[in-house]
Amino acid sequence: MRPAAVRNTTLAMAAEQAGAPLKAMHIELAPLADDQVEIAVEACGICHSDLSMLHNHWGASQYPLVPGHEIVGRITALGSAARGLSVGQRVGLGWVSSSCQHCAQCLGGDQNLCSRNEATIVGRSGGFASHVRCQAMWAIPLPEELDPLAAGPLFCGGLTVFNPLVQFGISPLARVGVIGIGGLGHLAIQFAAKWGCHVTAFSSSADKEAEAKSLGAHDFVSSTDPEVLAALETRFDLILSTVNQELPWHAYLALLAPKGRLHVVGAVLKPLSVGVFDLLPGQKSVSASPVGGPQATRQMLEFCARHGISAQVERFKLSDANAALAHLESGRARYRIVLENDLAA
Amino acid sequence: MRPAAVRNTTLAMAAEQAGAPLKAMHIELAPLADDQVEIAVEACGICHSDLSMLHNHWGASQYPLVPGHEIVGRITALGSAARGLSVGQRVGLGWVSSSCQHCAQCLGGDQNLCSRNEATIVGRSGGFASHVRCQAMWAIPLPEELDPLAAGPLFCGGLTVFNPLVQFGISPLARVGVIGIGGLGHLAIQFAAKWGCHVTAFSSSADKEAEAKSLGAHDFVSSTDPEVLAALETRFDLILSTVNQELPWHAYLALLAPKGRLHVVGAVLKPLSVGVFDLLPGQKSVSASPVGGPQATRQMLEFCARHGISAQVERFKLSDANAALAHLESGRARYRIVLENDLAA
């Protein structure tokens, strides 16, 4: 049975202009495309990039803007060319909602790197809504073991830090450092620890030590103490930076073992200053990446189910999204916020 | 038969202080160590790092300084613990003359990244001499197919650009760019072309196009034209920079395909400015490396023998080393200089 998509609007929490509070409104939807599915949103995480888009920090925002790209819900309609999914199935949707499916990246399994990618909240309506749509391949079935009210953050924040482990073939023998113990970092610690690695958490908040260790970190390092950092030189095979600010890159590169990699997933705006002689004698690398593709997402979810990995979330009602956004902006969220959909469809 | 090392001096071309001309003198040698071999030098290439050491640009020079670390010669003596070599065998020796053999890098096959590496011309006498010594594992047998009077440059310049192909598992399907068509670049083009890759040479000297193509480059790009560069965006899987100067890194990073790597082997002193958003959307990397290890050297030599790869060299007599150094400093060398040993032992 493939019900036709009769819906032509979604009830959403939307901002009418940059910085405006969200309010509930009906947003018009284009007809469901052949390769799309429609999802009735059950819950949606909040990511810092939702804030960036709401404030139009990247110049890519269109209003009314419906944020939300850490979505979990059930499929309500399938386009005629949507494959591998069924109505009623529970799925998740993250930052990417469509890719071209015919470029080298799409054909090669790197759909997340497709230059024609459509983002869930850029020029279209996101998950702070009763319904959202995406290309079928980007709706990833949620394993039954995962809590639908906590799983949303895996689809953006989680995938962003899980994917590097896959992409760079990180060995369970590796020593991994995670800089920043927030929404991304608290998941990175869990992933790397269950991956079998030795994990060191770097944080400027000394009060996060106990939590970092409970998440699986073997060591905790106060990142504000240059002497502590210096004592760790040449220790790490991978350092994953999840923070959005400039760091003492020279010092962190010195912490890498030969062949080590400093990988940045935080949206740092100021260019990194990287000395050739920070890299050359030890054959080190600096890199960055966005979210992962559909297959890495499936693998992540299976890994989470097998190892009991989950985001630590605080819950708000979707109708209370403005309070949730204010909580995130205040820096008090530990570690991720999920909005439970309480809007009528 | 293992002849004892009776020699306690080498006749060398040495500089008595920074910037001084070389003159022939006898240099005292420590007793041959158990794990060392002694090599009677037949020929020795000149590398820019010989100039840097002669001028003490790196603050690591000791005088009298005997440069030379692209050495080919025949073994004249073996220490009691030297394995796998025999007197009379023709070998080559490059930048590294010893490694600790007990650290993680040495045990793991990355001896070139050993932090206790001894360099052939740092604190000891190099190859502008009748004889030179090294730890046995760093004396690499020269295949008979290779010309001993041209092979020296493979051991430093060649290895520096060959090793990244091995280290990063570059596929023959890759599109490779080589920046700078000099001593390193002219070998990098040959290696990458015979590796099966598509090769583009980037040079600021338009007159090198014909030579670059004769070496195997499929395309030649005038690197001084921003419009030409812009037309090549997202094309390259690997860009190997062999030049010693600052480049428009942002522009070159844009030339990388998704998952591409900008790899620097030129000793650029000014830090690279690398934007996270130059790397993040396409999951790109920036890296650098020194020379390779003994096994990569063997593989390189076998590859050269199989494919007829050789350095293009200009020859001088070792006794005429000052003229050769002046020729190199003038920038007129095409592409590598080799000194033939005409000193009496």
Side-chain angles (χ1 to χ4, degrees), chain A residues 276-277 280-281 283, chain B residues 47-49 69-70 94-96 112 152-168 178 183-185 187-189 191 238-244 263-267 287-293 296-297 300 304 336:
Chain A
V276 168
F277 285 93
L280 189 147
Q283 193 185 308
Chain B
C47 175
H48 273 94
S49 45
H69 58 276
E70 295 188 336
W95 176 256
V96 180
N112 54 316
L154 295 173
F155 288 86
C156 178
L159 186 58
T160 299
V161 294
F162 180 83
N163 194 44
L165 302 178
V166 178
Q167 292 298 317
F168 303 122
V178 175
L184 274 64
L187 286 165
I189 290 173
F191 288 138
L238 172 69
I239 296 179
L240 199 58
S241 175
T242 71
V243 302
N244 292 336
H263 188 71
V264 178
V265 294
S287 52
S289 63
V291 293
T297 311
M300 172 188 68
C304 288
R336 210 68 171 171

Side-chain angles (χ1 to χ4, degrees), chain A residues 20-21 41 51 56 99-100 116 119 130 175 183 214 265 281 313 323:
Chain A
V41 177
L51 290 175
N56 197 16
S99 48
C100 84
R116 298 182 194 89
S130 64
R175 291 173 177 161
S214 75
V265 295
V313 302

Side-chain angles (χ1 to χ4, degrees), chain A residues 238-260:
Chain A
L238 172 70
I239 296 179
L240 199 58
S241 175
T242 71
V243 302
N244 291 336
Q245 71 221 38
E246 191 181 19
L247 294 175
W249 304 115
H250 174 75
Y252 278 107
L253 289 169
L255 303 194
L256 292 176
K259 295 186 164 182

Side-chain angles (χ1 to χ4, degrees), chain A residues 105 110 113 167 258-259 261 264 266-269 271-277 279-281 283-290, chain B residues 105 110 113 167 258-259 261 264 266-269 271-277 279-281 283-290:
Chain A
Q105 283 63 51
D110 298 314
L113 305 181
Q167 292 299 316
K259 295 186 164 182
R261 176 185 293 274
V264 178
V268 186
L269 295 181
L272 282 63
S273 174
V274 178
V276 168
F277 285 93
L279 305 178
L280 189 147
Q283 193 185 308
K284 301 176 182 179
S285 296
V286 174
S287 52
S289 62
Chain B
Q105 282 64 51
D110 298 313
L113 305 180
Q167 292 298 317
K259 295 186 164 182
R261 174 184 296 273
V264 178
V268 186
L269 296 179
L272 281 64
S273 174
V274 178
V276 168
F277 285 92
L279 304 177
L280 189 147
Q283 193 185 307
K284 300 176 182 180
S285 296
V286 174
S287 52
S289 63

Side-chain angles (χ1 to χ4, degrees), chain A residues 105-126:
Chain A
Q105 283 63 51
C106 283
L107 295 177
D110 298 314
Q111 299 90 340
N112 54 315
L113 305 181
C114 169
S115 65
R116 298 182 194 89
N117 267 353
E118 176 188 78
T120 301
I121 63 169
V122 178
R124 59 196 303 287
S125 290

Side-chain angles (χ1 to χ4, degrees), chain B:
Chain B
M1 188 196 72
R2 292 187 168 243
V6 293
R7 191 168 290 98
N8 57 15
T9 62
T10 180
L11 178 57
M13 292 296 288
E16 290 190 296
Q17 58 190 33
L22 304 187
K23 60 183 192 185
M25 61 181 83
H26 286 274
I27 303 279
E28 204 169 325
L29 295 174
L32 187 73
D34 287 353
D35 63 352
Q36 283 188 323
V37 299
E38 182 177 85
I39 302 166
V41 177
E42 294 178 289
C44 185
I46 312 181
C47 175
H48 273 94
S49 45
D50 290 312
L51 289 176
S52 300
M53 285 294 293
L54 282 169
H55 292 293
N56 197 17
H57 285 159
W58 300 334
S61 303
Q62 294 175 33
Y63 299 89
L65 191 143
V66 182
H69 58 276
E70 295 188 336
I71 300 161
V72 170
R74 288 192 185 271
I75 291 182
T76 51
L78 295 156
S80 60
R83 299 279 180 272
L85 297 170
S86 53
V87 169
Q89 190 170 10
R90 185 173 269 147
V91 295
L93 169 63
W95 176 256
V96 180
S97 50
S98 164
S99 49
C100 84
Q101 311 215 17
H102 59 83
C103 71
Q105 282 64 51
C106 283
L107 296 177
D110 298 313
Q111 299 91 341
N112 54 316
L113 305 180
C114 169
S115 65
R116 298 183 193 89
N117 267 354
E118 176 187 78
T120 301
I121 62 169
V122 178
R124 60 195 303 288
S125 289
F128 287 16
S130 64
H131 295 79
V132 68
R133 292 170 177 181
C134 69
Q135 202 175 38
M137 74 153 53
W138 293 97
I140 314 295
L142 194 75
E144 287 194 0
E145 298 89 334
L146 300 186
D147 176 0
L149 296 183
L154 295 173
F155 288 86
C156 178
L159 186 58
T160 299
V161 294
F162 180 83
N163 194 44
L165 302 178
V166 178
Q167 292 298 317
F168 303 122
I170 299 300
S171 163
L173 299 172
R175 290 174 178 161
V176 175
V178 175
I179 304 176
I181 313 307
L184 274 64
H186 91 288
L187 286 165
I189 290 173
Q190 295 181 72
F191 288 138
K194 294 299 187 187
W195 200 264
C197 302
H198 183 282
V199 182
T200 299
F202 292 82
S203 176
S204 57
S205 310
D207 63 334
K208 288 192 175 170
E209 176 163 0
E211 268 180 311
K213 289 189 170 171
S214 75
L215 292 165
H218 302 89
D219 287 334
F220 180 90
V221 172
S222 169
S223 59
T224 53
D225 185 338
E227 283 187 25
V228 170
L229 291 187
L232 296 172
E233 283 189 4
T234 74
R235 183 165 175 78
F236 298 96
D237 301 297
L238 172 69
I239 296 179
L240 199 58
S241 175
T242 71
V243 302
N244 292 336
Q245 71 222 38
E246 192 181 19
L247 294 175
W249 304 114
H250 174 76
Y252 278 107
L253 289 169
L255 303 195
L256 292 175
K259 295 186 164 182
R261 174 184 296 273
L262 172 63
H263 188 71
V264 178
V265 294
V268 186
L269 296 179
K270 190 169 175 192
L272 281 64
S273 174
V274 178
V276 168
F277 285 92
D278 291 336
L279 304 177
L280 189 147
Q283 193 185 307
K284 300 176 182 180
S285 296
V286 174
S287 52
S289 63
V291 293
Q295 177 59 9
T297 311
R298 288 186 185 207
Q299 292 172 316
M300 172 188 68
L301 297 174
E302 184 186 328
F303 196 74
C304 288
R306 181 155 75 249
H307 292 291
I309 294 170
S310 65
Q312 297 195 6
V313 302
E314 297 177 284
R315 294 220 182 98
F316 288 73
K317 298 292 180 193
L318 178 50
S319 59
D320 206 19
N322 290 309
L325 289 168
H327 185 62
L328 177 60
E329 284 191 288
S330 75
R332 293 193 311 271
R334 277 196 175 185
Y335 286 96
R336 210 68 171 171
I337 298 170
V338 168
L339 302 174
E340 216 174 323
N341 184 10
D342 61 341
L343 303 181

Side-chain angles (χ1 to χ4, degrees), chain A residues 151-172:
Chain A
L154 295 173
F155 288 86
C156 179
L159 185 58
T160 298
V161 293
F162 180 82
N163 194 45
L165 302 178
V166 179
Q167 292 299 316
F168 303 123
I170 299 300
S171 162

